[in-house]
Amino acid sequence: MLDAEVRELMQPFVLSDYQVQEVYSRFCLEVARGLKRSTHPQANVKCFPTYVQDLPTGDEMGKYLALDLGGTNFRVLLVSLKGHHDATVDSQIYAVPKDLMVGPGVDLFDHIAGCLAKFVEKHDMKTAYLPLGFTFSFPCVQLGLKEGILVRWTKGFDCAGVEGEDVGRMLHEAIQRRGDADIAVVAILNDTTGTLMSCAHRNADCRVGVIVGTGCNACYVEDVENVDLLRADFKKTKRSVIVNAEWGAFGEGGQLDFVRTEYDREVDEKSLNRSEQLFEKMTAGMYLGNLVRLVLLRALERKLIFKQSSRRPEFASVLQRNEEVFETRYISEIEDDSFPEFASTRKIVRNLFGLEKASVEDCQTLRYICECVAKRAATLVAIGVSGLVNRTSNRRVIVGMDGSVYRYHPKFDAYMRQTLQKLVKADKEWDIMLSEDGSGRGAALVAAVASKTK
Ligand code: BGC
């Protein structure tokens, strides 16, 4: 049985029906404001047009390179589109050293170009002409398919000299500086766009793409007449365009203050990008573990967990060591654990605190804390998804999803569905589908569709 006091501790994370409805209304309003030219500058859900106007048909063919920057790893991929909704992907993961994440931007792009060159050499393609799709998962103003001006860094990146610059040009210049491969940057896209495209490749009804990973964001297909910022010449021939919502920034105008907790404020205050990406800080993998860590500290202070142990102050100092000690993946492992053995939970507690055998009660308390933090994240994501699904003109809407939190948390999908059921309009038929490598396959598809359009 859970202590009433533990329930009370977690109460601020439990969203009431009223709060869910209210967040939903405020979110929908921000999307509308982001799309309109007159309100766009003040809006915090920016709704940037991506210039991706054609969804794949499934019969795309050819070899494409893809780069994926913006999660925990940086990847280079070779994607072979084979027609018949089929593709194969060969990829290599490279580390982005911490100092490159916050160093001069030119160094970051030189590192990327270096990895690209190694990859091409390894695949014996140094002399081949290769079109490249660049999945760059940060907020960008796109001026066309190939140009993306970085608005701000997120997710712990902070390289000097890139904000306000065209990242397509920076990558192109880094490739040119080396001069050892014939690679053309043909498209820049967000990971959400990649997710939508890769799901649409297999299911033609996909209209929304969502990432809940290190960061959190979504894109969707919008009618061109609603997208004021799309250049007029792009409205003549096509009816719709993918819009990158950049919903991570939702709440920066105070819209979420009525649901944010003291823990959310602390996460924000200690972050590299203070007052920014407030919705992201309640939903994304980069922050969920930290939220649990802060709640645990409070639980220790109030003697709500590890009550029997005199080592509580020692446990608290472990948690105070740094913001990453309680990893987000622990949340998934703990929620996946079975009662009353709690094998994974006990292992986590043992590794963190050196506590040999946590009691069943402690494990249950820890699990409840994780559950409340994850469920709130899933509910908020589903509020956003409902807003976008309800905006699309299709009756049947598939939501393509990806990201480590969604993929590995055992109940994230189920939590989301509970809220979607409440908020998606009754005349819509919806479902969620897991994306298959959106950042790679999706990038290749955008590149392929771009070449086709030409
Ligand atoms: C970025 C988005 C991205 C998301 C998921 C956010 O921090 O602003 O562009 O889609 O992370 O990777």
Side-chain angles (χ1 to χ4, degrees):
M1 260 300 281
L2 263 182
D3 240 21
E5 277 179 278
V6 174
R7 287 194 190 278
E8 192 197 310
L9 174 79
M10 295 316 290
Q11 200 48 43
F13 284 90
V14 181
L15 299 177
S16 67
D17 283 350
Y18 162 76
Q19 286 173 318
V20 168
Q21 276 297 337
E22 187 59 30
V23 174
Y24 174 79
S25 310
R26 292 178 184 202
F27 174 78
C28 293
L29 198 70
E30 275 308 299
V31 171
R33 278 162 40 86
L35 289 167
K36 262 198 122 32
R37 191 178 294 279
S38 57
T39 44
H40 176 85
Q42 285 79 41
N44 45 62
V45 180
K46 288 292 184 195
C47 290
F48 296 120
T50 64
Y51 291 86
V52 178
Q53 297 194 277
D54 295 289
L55 297 186
T57 54
D59 51 19
E60 292 74 14
M61 311 267 282
K63 272 190 189 326
Y64 295 87
L65 278 177
L67 280 186
D68 175 19
L69 180 76
T72 334
N73 295 311
F74 157 63
R75 293 186 311 156
V76 183
L77 310 98
L78 176 65
V79 185
S80 309
L81 300 175
K82 304 185 159 193
H84 308 289
H85 307 268
D86 195 20
T88 56
V89 180
D90 192 351
S91 71
Q92 177 89 42
I93 296 183
Y94 299 88
V96 182
K98 263 241 151 67
D99 51 320
L100 273 188
M101 286 172 71
V102 292
V106 175
D107 293 357
L108 176 71
F109 282 94
D110 280 341
H111 175 73
I112 295 175
C115 296
L116 200 51
K118 264 190 248 159
F119 183 88
V120 171
E121 168 137 42
K122 190 178 134 203
H123 286 80
D124 235 355
M125 295 185 309
K126 263 188 114 163
T127 50
Y129 165 79
L130 289 164
L132 177 144
F134 183 15
T135 307
F136 181 76
S137 306
F138 300 94
C140 285
V141 171
Q142 294 218 220
L143 304 172
L145 206 52
K146 285 195 274 192
E147 295 157 278
I149 313 285
L150 176 65
V151 176
R152 59 159 70 147
W153 287 111
T154 59
K155 298 177 282 198
F157 277 79
D158 195 13
C159 302
V162 190
E163 285 179 357
E165 300 294 328
D166 175 1
V167 294
R169 182 185 52 77
M170 290 190 79
L171 175 62
H172 172 75
E173 287 171 0
I175 296 171
Q176 293 296 308
R177 269 197 292 282
R178 298 185 56 91
D180 54 358
D182 189 12
I183 296 168
V185 183
V186 299
I188 296 190
L189 62 147
N190 190 260
D191 49 358
T192 57
T193 305
T195 298
L196 195 160
M197 291 293 279
S198 90
C199 287
H201 189 230
R202 290 189 299 144
N203 188 321
D205 290 322
C206 186
R207 289 293 178 279
V208 179
V210 184
I211 298 280
V212 195
T214 308
C216 181
N217 185 24
C219 70
Y220 74 107
V221 178
E222 178 62 274
D223 296 340
V224 286
E225 61 263 33
N226 296 329
V227 189
D228 285 2
L229 265 60
L230 185 68
R231 273 165 41 197
D233 43 330
F234 284 82
K235 297 190 180 185
K236 286 189 195 132
T237 48
K238 302 276 158 66
R239 282 192 43 224
S240 57
V241 63
I242 296 182
V243 165
N244 171 10
E246 283 297 337
W247 74 20
F250 179 44
E252 289 176 19
Q255 295 89 343
L256 291 168
D257 287 356
F258 76 115
V259 288
R260 288 174 71 220
T261 64
E262 56 180 294
Y263 313 100
D264 296 303
R265 285 176 230 286
E266 187 164 347
V267 165
D268 178 48
E269 268 156 33
K270 302 260 166 69
S271 68
L272 215 57
N273 53 350
R274 230 170 131 170
S275 314
E276 293 181 355
Q277 302 292 107
L278 298 182
F279 185 76
E280 177 160 83
K281 286 172 181 161
M282 301 168 90
T283 50
M286 180 152 177
Y287 307 99
L288 296 180
N290 194 13
L291 281 170
V292 170
R293 178 186 75 95
L294 293 173
V295 177
L296 266 177
L297 274 169
R298 183 55 43 84
L300 281 168
E301 185 188 301
R302 292 205 198 149
K303 277 200 196 168
L304 298 177
I305 193 164
F306 307 129
K307 290 181 201 162
Q308 320 297 342
S309 177
S310 58
R311 290 173 56 208
R312 256 178 290 109
E314 196 189 311
F315 301 164
S317 59
V318 168
L319 292 173
Q320 270 148 355
R321 208 179 292 149
N322 69 55
E323 288 168 3
E324 283 131 47
V325 281
F326 196 94
E327 295 178 32
T328 296
R329 71 182 166 89
Y330 298 162
I331 300 179
S332 301
E333 288 168 20
I334 289 170
E335 279 202 63
D336 213 10
D337 220 358
S338 55
F339 174 92
E341 298 80 11
F342 284 117
S344 314
T345 311
R346 287 190 161 125
K347 188 165 164 214
I348 289 166
V349 169
R350 196 179 317 123
N351 291 343
L352 267 177
F353 305 122
L355 183 67
E356 266 321 309
K357 201 166 185 309
S359 70
V360 168
E361 191 196 354
D362 287 335
C363 293
Q364 280 177 303
T365 302
L366 183 51
R367 166 136 92 190
Y368 185 66
I369 293 172
C370 291
E371 187 183 302
C372 291
V373 170
K375 190 168 187 181
R376 186 189 65 162
T379 306
L380 289 170
V381 168
I383 289 173
V385 171
S386 305
L388 300 184
V389 167
N390 288 340
R391 271 201 77 94
T392 59
S393 41
N394 293 53
R395 196 182 67 78
R396 228 188 106 64
V397 181
I398 299 290
V399 178
M401 298 259 340
D402 208 347
S404 49
V405 174
Y406 176 78
R407 210 174 254 278
Y408 302 121
H409 191 284
K411 298 186 195 142
F412 209 86
D413 179 87
Y415 293 152
M416 276 185 67
R417 285 173 194 269
Q418 286 173 14
T419 301
L420 281 158
Q421 252 139 27
K422 288 187 205 157
L423 295 177
V424 176
K425 288 181 196 155
D427 61 348
K428 296 261 185 204
E429 210 181 290
W430 58 269
D431 203 354
I432 299 177
M433 123 181 216
L434 183 65
S435 152
E436 256 178 58
D437 200 1
S439 298
R441 191 209 282 241
L445 286 166
V446 172
V449 166
S451 325
K452 220 197 276 185
T453 313
K454 255 196 218 150

